[in-house]
Short mmCIF file of all heavy atoms in Angstrom, two decimals:
data_model
loop_
_atom_site.label_atom_id
_atom_site.label_comp_id
_atom_site.label_asym_id
_atom_site.label_seq_id
_atom_site.Cartn_x
_atom_site.Cartn_y
_atom_site.Cartn_z
N GLU P 6 3.76 12.42 7.29
CA GLU P 6 4.55 13.59 7.68
C GLU P 6 4.77 13.56 9.19
O GLU P 6 3.95 13.14 9.94
CB GLU P 6 3.92 14.87 7.27
CG GLU P 6 3.63 15.08 5.75
CD GLU P 6 2.25 14.45 5.37
OE1 GLU P 6 1.73 13.57 6.07
OE2 GLU P 6 1.75 14.84 4.33
N SER P 7 5.85 14.27 9.55
CA SER P 7 6.12 14.49 10.97
C SER P 7 7.03 15.73 11.21
O SER P 7 7.54 16.29 10.10
CB SER P 7 6.77 13.28 11.75
OG SER P 7 8.05 13.08 10.99
N GLY P 8 7.15 16.17 12.40
CA GLY P 8 8.07 17.27 12.68
C GLY P 8 7.39 18.62 12.94
O GLY P 8 8.05 19.60 13.36
N GLY P 9 6.08 18.63 12.71
CA GLY P 9 5.37 20.02 13.02
C GLY P 9 5.36 20.36 14.57
O GLY P 9 5.77 19.44 15.34
N GLY P 10 4.88 21.57 14.82
CA GLY P 10 4.76 21.93 16.25
C GLY P 10 4.48 23.33 16.34
O GLY P 10 4.31 24.14 15.38
N LEU P 11 4.58 23.84 17.57
CA LEU P 11 4.53 25.29 17.84
C LEU P 11 5.89 25.91 17.95
O LEU P 11 6.71 25.42 18.71
CB LEU P 11 3.69 25.46 19.20
CG LEU P 11 3.66 26.85 19.85
CD1 LEU P 11 2.87 27.71 18.92
CD2 LEU P 11 3.07 26.83 21.16
N VAL P 12 6.02 27.04 17.27
CA VAL P 12 7.35 27.69 17.22
C VAL P 12 7.16 29.06 17.21
O VAL P 12 6.11 29.66 16.65
CB VAL P 12 8.08 27.17 15.94
CG1 VAL P 12 7.44 27.60 14.74
CG2 VAL P 12 9.54 27.77 15.97
N ARG P 13 8.05 29.92 17.82
CA ARG P 13 7.94 31.29 17.84
C ARG P 13 8.34 31.95 16.52
O ARG P 13 9.09 31.33 15.77
CB ARG P 13 8.79 31.93 18.98
CG ARG P 13 8.35 31.46 20.37
CD ARG P 13 9.12 32.21 21.47
NE ARG P 13 8.81 31.68 22.80
CZ ARG P 13 7.74 31.95 23.46
NH1 ARG P 13 6.76 32.73 22.90
NH2 ARG P 13 7.47 31.45 24.73
N PRO P 14 7.86 33.14 16.23
CA PRO P 14 8.26 33.81 14.94
C PRO P 14 9.81 33.96 14.98
O PRO P 14 10.50 34.20 15.92
CB PRO P 14 7.67 35.20 15.11
CG PRO P 14 6.39 34.94 15.94
CD PRO P 14 6.81 33.93 16.91
N GLY P 15 10.34 33.65 13.77
CA GLY P 15 11.87 33.66 13.60
C GLY P 15 12.47 32.25 13.87
O GLY P 15 13.64 32.00 13.50
N GLY P 16 11.66 31.31 14.33
CA GLY P 16 12.11 30.05 14.68
C GLY P 16 12.35 29.07 13.46
O GLY P 16 12.02 29.48 12.33
N SER P 17 12.63 27.82 13.68
CA SER P 17 12.93 26.88 12.70
C SER P 17 12.26 25.42 13.02
O SER P 17 12.19 25.16 14.27
CB SER P 17 14.45 26.70 12.41
OG SER P 17 14.95 27.85 12.00
N LEU P 18 12.04 24.74 12.00
CA LEU P 18 11.63 23.37 12.19
C LEU P 18 12.12 22.57 11.00
O LEU P 18 12.39 23.15 9.99
CB LEU P 18 10.07 23.27 12.24
CG LEU P 18 9.25 23.63 13.49
CD1 LEU P 18 7.87 23.56 13.16
CD2 LEU P 18 9.69 22.71 14.68
N ARG P 19 12.25 21.21 11.18
CA ARG P 19 12.57 20.34 10.04
C ARG P 19 11.33 19.40 9.91
O ARG P 19 11.15 18.55 10.91
CB ARG P 19 13.89 19.54 10.33
CG ARG P 19 14.20 18.89 9.01
CD ARG P 19 15.42 17.89 9.38
NE ARG P 19 16.10 17.48 8.12
CZ ARG P 19 16.74 16.20 8.11
NH1 ARG P 19 16.74 15.39 9.03
NH2 ARG P 19 17.38 16.01 7.03
N LEU P 20 10.64 19.42 8.89
CA LEU P 20 9.54 18.57 8.61
C LEU P 20 10.02 17.38 7.82
O LEU P 20 10.94 17.42 6.93
CB LEU P 20 8.42 19.25 7.77
CG LEU P 20 7.95 20.55 8.35
CD1 LEU P 20 6.80 21.13 7.49
CD2 LEU P 20 7.56 20.50 9.74
N SER P 21 9.49 16.20 8.11
CA SER P 21 9.86 14.98 7.48
C SER P 21 8.70 14.27 6.81
O SER P 21 7.58 14.40 7.28
CB SER P 21 10.57 14.02 8.43
OG SER P 21 11.69 14.59 8.92
N CYS P 22 8.89 13.55 5.73
CA CYS P 22 7.92 12.75 4.98
C CYS P 22 8.45 11.41 4.71
O CYS P 22 9.43 11.35 4.02
CB CYS P 22 7.41 13.53 3.76
SG CYS P 22 6.34 12.55 2.70
N ALA P 23 7.87 10.35 5.37
CA ALA P 23 8.37 9.05 5.09
C ALA P 23 7.43 8.39 4.10
O ALA P 23 6.23 8.39 4.25
CB ALA P 23 8.24 8.19 6.44
N ALA P 24 8.05 7.80 3.04
CA ALA P 24 7.27 7.14 1.93
C ALA P 24 7.44 5.57 2.01
O ALA P 24 8.49 5.05 2.49
CB ALA P 24 7.83 7.63 0.62
N SER P 25 6.37 4.96 1.73
CA SER P 25 6.41 3.50 1.70
C SER P 25 5.42 2.93 0.63
O SER P 25 4.57 3.68 0.22
CB SER P 25 5.92 2.86 3.12
OG SER P 25 4.69 3.38 3.41
N GLY P 26 5.77 1.82 0.13
CA GLY P 26 4.89 1.12 -0.88
C GLY P 26 5.20 1.54 -2.25
O GLY P 26 4.38 1.01 -3.18
N PHE P 27 6.12 2.36 -2.55
CA PHE P 27 6.56 2.68 -3.96
C PHE P 27 7.98 3.12 -3.94
O PHE P 27 8.60 3.43 -2.88
CB PHE P 27 5.63 3.84 -4.52
CG PHE P 27 5.80 5.13 -3.83
CD1 PHE P 27 6.52 6.10 -4.40
CD2 PHE P 27 5.01 5.45 -2.71
CE1 PHE P 27 6.53 7.47 -3.78
CE2 PHE P 27 5.11 6.70 -2.09
CZ PHE P 27 5.90 7.61 -2.61
N THR P 28 8.48 3.23 -5.10
CA THR P 28 9.96 3.55 -5.28
C THR P 28 10.12 5.08 -5.24
O THR P 28 9.81 5.71 -6.30
CB THR P 28 10.61 2.91 -6.56
OG1 THR P 28 10.29 1.53 -6.49
CG2 THR P 28 12.02 3.20 -6.61
N LEU P 29 10.50 5.68 -4.11
CA LEU P 29 10.56 7.15 -3.94
C LEU P 29 11.44 7.75 -5.03
O LEU P 29 11.11 8.79 -5.60
CB LEU P 29 11.05 7.41 -2.54
CG LEU P 29 11.11 8.89 -2.23
CD1 LEU P 29 9.61 9.52 -2.23
CD2 LEU P 29 11.78 9.21 -0.91
N SER P 30 12.54 7.05 -5.43
CA SER P 30 13.59 7.68 -6.28
C SER P 30 13.04 7.77 -7.73
O SER P 30 13.68 8.43 -8.59
CB SER P 30 14.84 6.77 -6.26
OG SER P 30 14.60 5.48 -6.63
N ASP P 31 11.81 7.30 -8.05
CA ASP P 31 11.36 7.36 -9.32
C ASP P 31 10.52 8.79 -9.47
O ASP P 31 10.11 9.11 -10.61
CB ASP P 31 10.29 6.22 -9.67
CG ASP P 31 11.03 4.93 -9.93
OD1 ASP P 31 12.20 5.02 -10.19
OD2 ASP P 31 10.33 3.87 -9.91
N PHE P 32 10.33 9.49 -8.41
CA PHE P 32 9.36 10.56 -8.42
C PHE P 32 9.88 11.85 -7.99
O PHE P 32 10.70 11.97 -7.10
CB PHE P 32 8.09 10.20 -7.52
CG PHE P 32 7.22 9.09 -8.11
CD1 PHE P 32 7.54 7.75 -7.63
CD2 PHE P 32 6.21 9.25 -8.97
CE1 PHE P 32 6.70 6.72 -8.16
CE2 PHE P 32 5.51 8.23 -9.47
CZ PHE P 32 5.74 6.96 -9.00
N TYR P 33 9.33 12.92 -8.56
CA TYR P 33 9.37 14.23 -7.94
C TYR P 33 8.54 14.20 -6.78
O TYR P 33 7.52 13.43 -6.70
CB TYR P 33 8.82 15.33 -8.86
CG TYR P 33 9.96 15.91 -9.83
CD1 TYR P 33 10.36 15.13 -10.92
CD2 TYR P 33 10.34 17.18 -9.62
CE1 TYR P 33 11.24 15.77 -11.85
CE2 TYR P 33 11.27 17.76 -10.48
CZ TYR P 33 11.81 17.00 -11.56
OH TYR P 33 12.70 17.57 -12.40
N MET P 34 8.81 15.00 -5.78
CA MET P 34 7.94 15.14 -4.55
C MET P 34 7.74 16.63 -4.23
O MET P 34 8.72 17.46 -4.44
CB MET P 34 8.59 14.38 -3.38
CG MET P 34 8.75 12.90 -3.51
SD MET P 34 7.17 12.00 -3.58
CE MET P 34 6.66 12.24 -1.88
N SER P 35 6.59 16.93 -3.61
CA SER P 35 6.31 18.40 -3.29
C SER P 35 5.82 18.46 -1.89
O SER P 35 5.29 17.48 -1.27
CB SER P 35 5.21 18.88 -4.26
OG SER P 35 5.78 19.34 -5.52
N TRP P 36 5.91 19.58 -1.37
CA TRP P 36 5.29 20.04 -0.08
C TRP P 36 4.15 21.07 -0.55
O TRP P 36 4.41 21.96 -1.29
CB TRP P 36 6.20 20.65 0.84
CG TRP P 36 7.14 19.65 1.48
CD1 TRP P 36 8.42 19.25 1.15
CD2 TRP P 36 6.85 18.95 2.67
NE1 TRP P 36 8.87 18.32 1.99
CE2 TRP P 36 7.98 18.16 3.02
CE3 TRP P 36 5.79 18.89 3.52
CZ2 TRP P 36 8.12 17.29 4.03
CZ3 TRP P 36 5.91 18.02 4.67
CH2 TRP P 36 6.99 17.18 4.92
N ILE P 37 3.06 20.95 0.10
CA ILE P 37 1.92 21.89 -0.13
C ILE P 37 1.37 22.15 1.26
O ILE P 37 1.32 21.22 2.10
CB ILE P 37 0.90 21.05 -0.98
CG1 ILE P 37 1.43 20.80 -2.40
CG2 ILE P 37 -0.44 21.92 -1.19
CD1 ILE P 37 0.78 19.63 -3.10
N ARG P 38 0.92 23.39 1.49
CA ARG P 38 0.34 23.74 2.75
C ARG P 38 -1.07 24.21 2.70
O ARG P 38 -1.44 24.78 1.59
CB ARG P 38 1.31 24.72 3.41
CG ARG P 38 1.39 26.10 2.80
CD ARG P 38 2.42 26.98 3.53
NE ARG P 38 2.52 28.31 2.93
CZ ARG P 38 3.33 29.22 3.42
NH1 ARG P 38 4.20 28.98 4.35
NH2 ARG P 38 3.41 30.45 2.78
N GLN P 39 -1.62 24.24 3.87
CA GLN P 39 -3.01 24.76 3.89
C GLN P 39 -3.24 25.52 5.19
O GLN P 39 -3.15 24.85 6.41
CB GLN P 39 -3.99 23.50 3.86
CG GLN P 39 -5.51 23.90 3.81
CD GLN P 39 -6.42 22.79 3.49
OE1 GLN P 39 -6.13 21.65 3.93
NE2 GLN P 39 -7.49 23.07 2.74
N ALA P 40 -3.36 26.80 5.19
CA ALA P 40 -3.56 27.52 6.34
C ALA P 40 -4.98 27.26 6.99
O ALA P 40 -5.90 26.81 6.19
CB ALA P 40 -3.46 29.04 6.09
N PRO P 41 -5.10 27.37 8.27
CA PRO P 41 -6.45 27.05 8.91
C PRO P 41 -7.61 27.59 8.17
O PRO P 41 -7.62 28.86 8.01
CB PRO P 41 -6.29 27.55 10.35
CG PRO P 41 -4.83 27.55 10.57
CD PRO P 41 -4.20 27.91 9.33
N GLY P 42 -8.58 26.83 7.73
CA GLY P 42 -9.72 27.34 7.07
C GLY P 42 -9.56 27.85 5.70
O GLY P 42 -10.47 28.47 5.16
N LYS P 43 -8.33 27.67 5.15
CA LYS P 43 -8.00 28.27 3.81
C LYS P 43 -7.81 27.12 2.81
O LYS P 43 -8.00 26.01 3.05
CB LYS P 43 -6.81 29.11 4.04
CG LYS P 43 -6.93 30.18 4.98
CD LYS P 43 -7.96 31.31 4.59
CE LYS P 43 -7.99 32.44 5.57
NZ LYS P 43 -9.12 33.36 5.24
N GLY P 44 -7.41 27.63 1.55
CA GLY P 44 -7.27 26.73 0.46
C GLY P 44 -5.74 26.14 0.50
O GLY P 44 -4.98 26.30 1.46
N LEU P 45 -5.34 25.63 -0.62
CA LEU P 45 -4.09 24.89 -0.75
C LEU P 45 -3.08 25.78 -1.50
O LEU P 45 -3.41 26.49 -2.44
CB LEU P 45 -4.26 23.60 -1.50
CG LEU P 45 -5.22 22.63 -0.90
CD1 LEU P 45 -5.76 21.58 -1.94
CD2 LEU P 45 -4.56 21.92 0.22
N GLU P 46 -1.81 25.70 -1.06
CA GLU P 46 -0.81 26.45 -1.63
C GLU P 46 0.50 25.56 -1.88
O GLU P 46 0.98 25.00 -0.80
CB GLU P 46 -0.31 27.64 -0.76
CG GLU P 46 0.81 28.50 -1.33
CD GLU P 46 1.36 29.59 -0.32
OE1 GLU P 46 1.09 29.42 0.84
OE2 GLU P 46 2.07 30.45 -0.75
N TRP P 47 0.91 25.41 -3.08
CA TRP P 47 2.09 24.64 -3.33
C TRP P 47 3.30 25.38 -2.74
O TRP P 47 3.41 26.66 -2.91
CB TRP P 47 2.30 24.46 -4.81
CG TRP P 47 3.61 23.88 -5.14
CD1 TRP P 47 4.10 22.57 -5.18
CD2 TRP P 47 4.82 24.60 -5.60
NE1 TRP P 47 5.37 22.56 -5.44
CE2 TRP P 47 5.85 23.78 -5.77
CE3 TRP P 47 4.96 25.97 -5.88
CZ2 TRP P 47 7.10 24.27 -6.20
CZ3 TRP P 47 6.28 26.47 -6.25
CH2 TRP P 47 7.33 25.56 -6.45
N VAL P 48 4.19 24.73 -2.13
CA VAL P 48 5.32 25.25 -1.42
C VAL P 48 6.70 25.12 -2.12
O VAL P 48 7.48 25.98 -2.34
CB VAL P 48 5.38 24.85 0.09
CG1 VAL P 48 6.70 25.29 0.74
CG2 VAL P 48 4.17 25.24 0.81
N SER P 49 6.91 23.81 -2.52
CA SER P 49 8.27 23.38 -2.94
C SER P 49 8.18 22.04 -3.64
O SER P 49 7.36 21.25 -3.26
CB SER P 49 9.28 23.41 -1.78
OG SER P 49 10.55 23.05 -2.26
N TYR P 50 9.11 21.81 -4.63
CA TYR P 50 9.28 20.51 -5.06
C TYR P 50 10.77 20.06 -5.16
O TYR P 50 11.62 20.94 -5.19
CB TYR P 50 8.65 20.23 -6.52
CG TYR P 50 9.34 20.95 -7.70
CD1 TYR P 50 10.63 20.69 -8.10
CD2 TYR P 50 8.65 21.92 -8.41
CE1 TYR P 50 11.19 21.24 -9.15
CE2 TYR P 50 9.29 22.50 -9.45
CZ TYR P 50 10.55 22.18 -9.90
OH TYR P 50 11.16 22.83 -10.98
N VAL P 51 11.00 18.82 -5.16
CA VAL P 51 12.43 18.35 -5.36
C VAL P 51 12.39 17.12 -6.41
O VAL P 51 11.47 16.36 -6.42
CB VAL P 51 13.05 17.83 -3.97
CG1 VAL P 51 12.09 16.68 -3.32
CG2 VAL P 51 14.46 17.41 -4.16
N GLY P 52 13.37 17.13 -7.19
CA GLY P 52 13.39 16.13 -8.36
C GLY P 52 13.91 14.80 -7.69
O GLY P 52 14.31 14.69 -6.56
N PRO P 53 13.92 13.76 -8.54
CA PRO P 53 14.20 12.43 -8.12
C PRO P 53 15.48 12.25 -7.38
O PRO P 53 15.54 11.41 -6.42
CB PRO P 53 14.01 11.62 -9.31
CG PRO P 53 13.02 12.28 -10.25
CD PRO P 53 13.33 13.75 -9.94
N ASP P 54 16.46 12.99 -7.90
CA ASP P 54 17.83 12.77 -7.29
C ASP P 54 18.22 13.87 -6.41
O ASP P 54 19.30 13.99 -5.88
CB ASP P 54 18.94 12.58 -8.36
CG ASP P 54 19.08 13.83 -9.28
OD1 ASP P 54 18.38 14.88 -8.98
OD2 ASP P 54 19.90 13.72 -10.19
N GLY P 55 17.28 14.85 -6.15
CA GLY P 55 17.57 16.01 -5.20
C GLY P 55 18.19 17.19 -5.89
O GLY P 55 18.31 18.25 -5.16
N SER P 56 18.52 17.14 -7.12
CA SER P 56 19.30 18.21 -7.79
C SER P 56 18.40 19.37 -8.33
O SER P 56 18.78 20.46 -8.44
CB SER P 56 20.17 17.68 -8.92
OG SER P 56 19.39 17.08 -9.96
N ASP P 57 17.15 19.03 -8.56
CA ASP P 57 16.20 19.96 -9.09
C ASP P 57 15.24 20.43 -7.96
O ASP P 57 14.52 19.53 -7.45
CB ASP P 57 15.42 19.31 -10.32
CG ASP P 57 14.55 20.33 -10.89
OD1 ASP P 57 14.72 21.60 -10.76
OD2 ASP P 57 13.61 19.96 -11.63
N THR P 58 15.26 21.67 -7.63
CA THR P 58 14.39 22.17 -6.61
C THR P 58 13.66 23.45 -7.07
O THR P 58 14.26 24.20 -7.91
CB THR P 58 15.08 22.37 -5.21
OG1 THR P 58 16.17 23.35 -5.40
CG2 THR P 58 15.66 21.12 -4.71
N ASP P 59 12.51 23.83 -6.46
CA ASP P 59 11.93 25.04 -6.72
C ASP P 59 11.07 25.42 -5.55
O ASP P 59 10.64 24.52 -4.74
CB ASP P 59 11.13 25.07 -8.04
CG ASP P 59 10.77 26.45 -8.53
OD1 ASP P 59 11.38 27.48 -8.00
OD2 ASP P 59 9.95 26.57 -9.44
N TYR P 60 10.75 26.73 -5.37
CA TYR P 60 10.03 27.17 -4.19
C TYR P 60 9.01 28.22 -4.51
O TYR P 60 9.19 28.99 -5.56
CB TYR P 60 11.01 27.82 -3.11
CG TYR P 60 12.08 26.85 -2.73
CD1 TYR P 60 13.26 26.67 -3.41
CD2 TYR P 60 11.82 26.05 -1.59
CE1 TYR P 60 14.21 25.86 -2.94
CE2 TYR P 60 12.81 25.10 -1.14
CZ TYR P 60 14.05 25.02 -1.83
OH TYR P 60 14.98 24.10 -1.41
N ALA P 61 7.92 28.34 -3.81
CA ALA P 61 7.05 29.39 -3.98
C ALA P 61 7.81 30.72 -3.53
O ALA P 61 8.64 30.69 -2.70
CB ALA P 61 5.76 29.25 -3.17
N ASP P 62 7.36 31.78 -4.17
CA ASP P 62 8.00 33.08 -3.85
C ASP P 62 7.82 33.43 -2.31
O ASP P 62 8.69 33.97 -1.72
CB ASP P 62 7.44 34.22 -4.66
CG ASP P 62 7.87 34.29 -6.15
OD1 ASP P 62 8.83 33.50 -6.42
OD2 ASP P 62 7.23 34.87 -6.96
N SER P 63 6.78 32.94 -1.70
CA SER P 63 6.41 33.31 -0.36
C SER P 63 7.44 32.67 0.65
O SER P 63 7.45 33.08 1.77
CB SER P 63 5.01 32.96 -0.07
OG SER P 63 4.74 31.61 -0.22
N VAL P 64 8.12 31.62 0.21
CA VAL P 64 9.04 30.89 1.16
C VAL P 64 10.47 30.89 0.56
O VAL P 64 11.36 30.40 1.33
CB VAL P 64 8.63 29.43 1.37
CG1 VAL P 64 7.05 29.45 1.81
CG2 VAL P 64 8.78 28.64 0.12
N LYS P 65 10.78 31.41 -0.67
CA LYS P 65 12.07 31.43 -1.19
C LYS P 65 13.03 32.14 -0.31
O LYS P 65 12.86 33.16 0.28
CB LYS P 65 12.02 32.01 -2.56
CG LYS P 65 13.05 31.57 -3.56
CD LYS P 65 12.79 32.00 -4.96
CE LYS P 65 11.71 31.33 -5.58
NZ LYS P 65 11.43 31.68 -6.98
N GLY P 66 14.29 31.46 -0.07
CA GLY P 66 15.28 31.95 0.84
C GLY P 66 15.06 31.59 2.30
O GLY P 66 15.98 31.90 3.16
N ARG P 67 13.87 31.02 2.71
CA ARG P 67 13.73 30.69 4.04
C ARG P 67 13.47 29.16 4.19
O ARG P 67 13.75 28.62 5.22
CB ARG P 67 12.42 31.37 4.57
CG ARG P 67 12.49 32.86 4.51
CD ARG P 67 11.25 33.53 5.19
NE ARG P 67 10.09 33.17 4.58
CZ ARG P 67 9.04 32.67 5.23
NH1 ARG P 67 9.15 32.24 6.47
NH2 ARG P 67 7.84 32.36 4.57
N PHE P 68 13.04 28.51 3.17
CA PHE P 68 12.67 27.07 3.24
C PHE P 68 13.67 26.41 2.31
O PHE P 68 14.09 26.92 1.31
CB PHE P 68 11.25 26.78 2.80
CG PHE P 68 10.15 27.20 3.72
CD1 PHE P 68 10.38 28.15 4.79
CD2 PHE P 68 8.87 26.72 3.55
CE1 PHE P 68 9.34 28.40 5.63
CE2 PHE P 68 7.86 27.12 4.35
CZ PHE P 68 8.11 28.00 5.40
N SER P 69 14.01 25.08 2.74
CA SER P 69 14.92 24.32 1.88
C SER P 69 14.45 22.90 1.81
O SER P 69 14.18 22.21 2.92
CB SER P 69 16.33 24.38 2.53
OG SER P 69 17.24 23.63 1.74
N ILE P 70 14.28 22.37 0.71
CA ILE P 70 13.69 20.99 0.53
C ILE P 70 14.90 20.04 0.20
O ILE P 70 15.91 20.42 -0.38
CB ILE P 70 12.62 20.95 -0.61
CG1 ILE P 70 11.87 19.62 -0.59
CG2 ILE P 70 13.22 21.18 -2.03
CD1 ILE P 70 10.63 19.60 -1.45
N SER P 71 14.81 18.80 0.69
CA SER P 71 15.88 17.84 0.38
C SER P 71 15.22 16.42 0.43
O SER P 71 14.09 16.25 0.81
CB SER P 71 16.97 17.92 1.34
OG SER P 71 16.53 17.71 2.67
N ARG P 72 16.04 15.43 0.12
CA ARG P 72 15.50 14.09 0.17
C ARG P 72 16.65 13.13 0.43
O ARG P 72 17.84 13.41 0.09
CB ARG P 72 14.80 13.66 -1.13
CG ARG P 72 15.65 13.64 -2.34
CD ARG P 72 14.83 13.63 -3.68
NE ARG P 72 14.00 12.39 -3.72
CZ ARG P 72 12.90 12.31 -4.48
NH1 ARG P 72 12.44 13.36 -5.20
NH2 ARG P 72 12.31 11.17 -4.60
N ASP P 73 16.28 11.95 0.89
CA ASP P 73 17.25 10.83 1.13
C ASP P 73 16.47 9.67 0.66
O ASP P 73 15.76 8.98 1.36
CB ASP P 73 17.53 10.69 2.60
CG ASP P 73 18.68 9.65 2.79
OD1 ASP P 73 18.88 8.72 2.00
OD2 ASP P 73 19.44 9.82 3.87
N ASN P 74 16.79 9.23 -0.58
CA ASN P 74 16.07 8.08 -1.14
C ASN P 74 16.39 6.84 -0.47
O ASN P 74 15.54 5.89 -0.44
CB ASN P 74 16.44 8.00 -2.68
CG ASN P 74 15.77 9.13 -3.47
OD1 ASN P 74 14.65 9.71 -3.14
ND2 ASN P 74 16.41 9.54 -4.57
N ALA P 75 17.58 6.65 0.07
CA ALA P 75 18.03 5.45 0.78
C ALA P 75 17.14 5.33 2.02
O ALA P 75 16.90 4.17 2.42
CB ALA P 75 19.53 5.51 1.10
#
Side-chain angles (χ1 to χ4, degrees):
Chain P
E6 303 90 338
S7 60
L11 173 63
V12 62
R13 296 191 186 281
S17 298
L18 285 171
R19 190 192 195 206
L20 309 183
S21 299
C22 171
S25 58
F27 66 97
T28 303
L29 184 66
S30 59
D31 286 345
F32 293 93
Y33 274 74
M34 296 293 293
S35 277
W36 286 94
I37 297 154
R38 68 184 180 182
Q39 185 170 36
K43 302 296 184 182
L45 299 160
E46 179 189 18
W47 170 80
V48 172
S49 179
Y50 71 65
V51 60
D54 66 1
S56 62
D57 185 16
T58 62
D59 197 13
Y60 301 89
D62 286 346
S63 58
V64 307
K65 204 168 286 185
R67 300 188 298 123
F68 290 13
S69 177
I70 192 170
S71 61
R72 65 194 295 159
D73 186 336
N74 290 331

